[in-house]
Amino acid sequence: MATVEVKSEITGKVWKIETKPGDRLEEDDAILILESMKMEIPVCAPADCKLVEILVAEEDSVSEGQVVAIVEEE
Amino acid sequence: MAFEKQIEELEARRAKARAMGSPKRLAERKAAGILNARERVALLADDGSFRESGLLATSVQPDHKDKSPADGMVSGYARVGGRLVGVNASDFTTLGASSAMTLGKKQAKIKNDCFKNGLPLIQLMECAGGRIPDIMGAAGIGGSGERGEINRYSRIRTSPALAAVMGLTYGGGAFNCINSDFVVQRKGAVLAVSSQMVTSVALSEELDPEELGGWKHHTQTGLVDAVADTDEEAIEILKRFLSYMPDHAGQRPPLAPVPAGAEENIKNILNVVPESRAQTYDVRHAIEAIADPDSFFPLKERFAKVAVTGLARIGGEAVGIIASNPKFKGGALDADACDKITPFIVLCDSFNIPIVFLADTPGFLVGQESERKRLPGKIMNFMMALELATVPKIALILRKSFGQAYLNMGGGKSDHTATWMSGEISFMDPAVAVNIVYATREAADPERYKDLVREVAKDTTAYDLAAPYMAQEVIDPRETRQYIKDMLAVNCRNLTGGIGEHRLANWPPAF
């Protein structure tokens, strides 16, 4: 099992975190939701995986390319 | 029996060639669950339909003559679902299916036969690279320049070319894949210019082959269209892609029966797309609601997810669907999205497949990273392909479509433009535009800012596009499927039997 960094593809503010470490996610499931460009844009699981860690908190600002979570791919 | 001895010899020679490379290598593959070249061809071809070309061909090198059955390439013609195709399948157990004189001639012969006669070409590739010693010395590489077919490297899309990356695929094998209209890669297989043996010596770069050209790597490059877990699945995926293609550019794609219940999913579309402009959703669910059930076949699905490109059927007719996906980057199109969409337009235009655009995009993703990735050039390549394409083009706006992206997503540049009643169309999102038009920021005066946003958002509705007849229709989302079916019927191109001009037929194969 490989540990993978999940990066934000856009700059924005963390609006809502809907998952917690240990959660099993399918590819493209939302890990957290950013507010950006006046929209609610999810940061998604890159593959079927287990969520290891979330590195940001609600209201945090994140920039494009910033690592926001760590997952373990199955 | 007359000729008994000679017939025996012929059969012995045939059997030896069919046995391929060393039994040890064949056994190793079997143990690893990897099919050999002949098993792959048997799986691809309808039963008993394969006619082999060059079974008794061998290497031109005297030292290799006895150990080069079929010179490492199983080539010929077969029926796939009843359709005649040309086949080249690499036999890696024979000298690594490395590029050499005879192998190259065989491969070229099948390609030429396909492109001359309008038959699809299917290549199941593995390749260790150039063969040693054939490629050595000035005359070695020089010979490569003289070898093979005219326009060896020119992709002129007279008939569809399909390829599968079925193992370590370097050099000529890799280039053959890139020069195809569709590439599926089996997990564990590698597509790269050179192997890690070369890169480790030439660049002191110690890499895993997966890092050079594994399937995950190619989700980032976009050079591969689909991924398969097994050889068997890869061959199924090739067959599926072929089902949407005509045999050649002078035909329309085959029609398929419309499955029962095909009109049901569209009734659910209002539950798929949220009304709030701030909420995102996965446009693939909308496509599934519009298309015939189970007909949607996405290409390059993990590359540039903000753009969705895929083949599908609507009312049994093959269509190409290009959509922005708000689930990723809010649907803001970037350089990779352009690189994904442009070759898809080329594919559709080359093989007479009408294109349907589904737009829900705040525009192109601007910023330093986009400019660094040459976004202006990418936008223009996309736009030029779109303008030159002569297949029917139907553009539909689902919610928002702003700026240049409105045009790139077919707005006003298609045979027909329509919008859902929820459409918003302008030069940019009003919430952003207000900053530009009035040089103000929300934080400075929130109340005034709200008023100004309302002001800028005026005249940006679906009805404002329909009034000057820039959209021919405003539709209820539930009418989408019928609308597209009707517009496909109108844009039948009867004068040419549905055949386009193919002005993109020799567009470069990669980006």
Side-chain angles (χ1 to χ4, degrees):
Chain A
M1 289 211 281
T3 302
V4 176
E5 294 179 336
V6 182
K7 294 175 182 169
S8 172
E9 291 186 305
I10 43 164
T11 298
K13 194 185 222 182
V14 180
W15 178 61
K16 202 156 55 167
I17 297 176
E18 295 186 313
T19 51
K20 56 184 186 313
D23 283 359
R24 294 206 166 274
L25 302 170
E26 287 184 19
E27 183 173 349
D28 294 343
D29 278 355
I31 296 172
L32 51 86
I33 299 174
L34 300 177
E35 189 193 337
S36 176
M37 299 184 283
K38 306 288 176 188
M39 282 183 283
E40 299 156 17
I41 301 175
V43 176
C44 298
D48 294 352
C49 61
K50 190 171 94 177
L51 184 59
V52 176
E53 195 179 358
I54 295 174
L55 304 171
V56 291
E58 288 179 2
E59 298 294 310
D60 280 2
S61 291
V62 299
S63 52
E64 184 181 339
Q66 183 177 332
V67 180
V68 295
I70 308 284
V71 298
E72 207 167 64
E73 285 189 12
E74 290 172 345
Chain B
M1 188 172 79
F3 298 109
E4 193 172 344
K5 281 230 153 97
Q6 288 183 41
I7 290 169
E8 266 174 29
E9 188 195 341
L10 172 62
E11 286 310 321
R13 283 173 181 261
R14 283 176 169 173
K16 190 180 169 205
R18 286 190 187 117
M20 298 177 284
S22 83
K24 184 170 165 277
R25 280 194 160 188
L26 286 161
E28 282 168 2
R29 289 173 74 96
K30 202 177 180 74
I34 297 167
L35 300 179
N36 65 50
R38 291 182 185 279
E39 287 168 339
R40 288 172 179 166
V41 172
L43 206 55
L44 176 70
D46 296 350
D47 282 350
S49 71
F50 182 56
R51 170 160 290 279
E52 188 160 352
S53 174
L55 173 64
L56 302 179
T58 59
S59 167
V60 294
Q61 298 285 347
D63 289 352
H64 280 162
K65 209 168 168 50
D66 279 340
K67 49 182 177 181
S68 53
D71 209 25
M73 187 63 71
V74 179
S75 299
Y77 318 91
R79 300 257 171 203
V80 175
R83 296 166 64 177
L84 188 59
V85 303
V87 180
N88 283 316
S90 309
D91 166 23
F92 201 76
T93 67
T94 298
L95 302 172
S98 47
S99 301
M101 177 76 84
T102 308
L103 177 146
K105 278 178 73 177
K106 289 180 62 177
Q107 204 174 358
K109 171 80 178 138
I110 304 302
K111 280 164 74 176
N112 278 348
D113 286 346
C114 285
F115 299 150
K116 190 166 64 185
N117 294 297
L119 302 173
L121 171 70
I122 300 179
Q123 303 199 94
L124 310 173
M125 290 286 102
E126 292 185 70
C127 180
R131 189 176 299 171
I132 307 297
D134 303 49
I135 200 169
M136 291 169 74
I141 192 69
S144 294
E146 293 184 339
R147 186 196 310 150
E149 68 273 49
I150 302 166
N151 301 329
R152 179 177 171 198
Y153 292 111
S154 310
R155 181 77 190 103
I156 300 167
R157 296 172 182 79
T158 50
S159 52
L162 291 67
V165 185
M166 297 295 254
L168 300 176
T169 307
Y170 301 119
F175 300 142
N176 268 293
C177 294
I178 297 301
N179 252 343
S180 300
D181 300 300
F182 175 77
V183 184
V184 57
Q185 180 171 20
R186 195 247 300 142
K187 286 182 181 174
V190 173
L191 172 78
V193 174
S194 288
S195 76
Q196 84 285 2
M197 284 162 67
V198 177
T199 56
S200 65
V201 175
L203 307 167
S204 302
E205 204 179 53
E206 295 297 339
L207 289 172
D208 186 297
E210 288 278 341
E211 292 176 273
L212 275 175
W215 72 273
K216 280 191 181 169
H217 167 83
H218 285 303
T219 63
Q220 303 301 310
T221 66
L223 292 174
V224 165
D225 296 292
V227 177
D229 286 326
T230 61
D231 283 7
E232 288 85 349
E233 192 191 2
I235 288 168
E236 277 312 306
I237 289 173
L238 288 171
K239 289 181 182 178
R240 178 139 194 231
F241 178 83
L242 184 65
S243 73
Y244 296 94
M245 292 292 123
D247 286 343
H248 56 81
Q251 274 183 350
R252 297 190 68 182
L255 289 168
V258 182
E263 308 302 326
E264 289 305 307
N265 291 346
I266 193 66
K267 294 176 186 165
N268 191 40
I269 191 91
L270 300 179
N271 298 323
V272 171
V273 181
E275 185 177 341
S276 162
R277 72 193 300 281
Q279 280 187 312
T280 56
Y281 60 97
D282 193 331
V283 79
R284 289 172 290 189
H285 298 318
I287 294 169
E288 280 158 7
I290 294 165
D292 293 356
D294 302 319
S295 74
F296 180 51
F297 180 62
L299 303 182
K300 303 189 202 299
E301 196 173 16
R302 292 185 173 92
F303 172 66
K305 288 180 173 180
V306 61
V308 175
T309 53
L311 297 161
R313 293 187 178 279
I314 296 179
E317 188 172 340
V319 294
I321 294 182
I322 296 172
S324 51
N325 195 350
K327 177 154 189 179
F328 302 97
K329 299 187 180 185
L333 297 166
D334 58 10
D336 282 350
C338 296
D339 279 345
K340 179 172 178 173
I341 293 170
T342 303
F344 187 70
I345 295 173
V346 171
L347 173 75
C348 292
D349 189 63
S350 296
F351 298 112
N352 313 307
I353 300 168
I355 299 172
V356 176
F357 288 94
L358 303 175
D360 190 342
T361 174
F364 281 104
L365 190 68
V366 293
Q368 193 179 21
E369 175 64 8
S370 288
E371 304 298 342
R372 198 183 64 75
K373 291 187 93 170
R374 309 194 298 275
L375 184 61
K378 307 288 185 185
I379 292 172
M380 280 302 102
N381 280 357
F382 174 0
M383 203 67 226
M384 179 166 163
L386 171 63
E387 267 198 357
L388 286 174
T390 56
V391 283
K393 290 169 280 190
I394 298 162
L396 183 64
I397 299 156
L398 310 189
R399 298 195 309 180
K400 50 189 127 173
S401 195
F402 294 131
Q404 176 67 36
Y406 163 79
L407 305 175
N408 279 69
M409 289 303 285
K413 304 301 294 180
S414 298
D415 294 279
H416 288 269
T417 300
T419 169
W420 285 359
M421 72 289 149
S422 46
E424 276 182 72
I425 307 95
S426 186
F427 76 106
M428 65 172 69
D429 190 310
V432 180
V434 74
N435 300 295
I436 312 297
V437 176
Y438 295 104
T440 186
R441 296 281 168 138
E442 187 174 11
D445 185 348
E447 278 311 306
R448 179 166 180 264
Y449 181 85
K450 259 188 213 161
D451 290 343
L452 293 175
V453 169
R454 267 196 293 275
E455 184 65 28
V456 174
K458 265 187 193 166
D459 306 328
T460 60
T461 69
Y463 305 108
D464 296 310
L465 194 69
Y469 199 52
M470 291 168 183
Q472 285 76 51
E473 291 194 43
V474 178
I475 63 172
D476 175 328
R478 292 167 296 182
E479 296 164 353
T480 303
R481 184 175 154 86
Q482 190 60 46
Y483 169 75
I484 295 171
K485 281 203 287 188
D486 290 346
M487 288 306 103
L488 289 172
V490 168
N491 288 286
C492 53
R493 307 285 196 265
N494 269 349
L495 295 175
T496 58
I499 309 303
E501 294 175 34
H502 308 136
R503 295 188 293 204
L504 304 173
N506 48 5
W507 193 279
F511 37 77

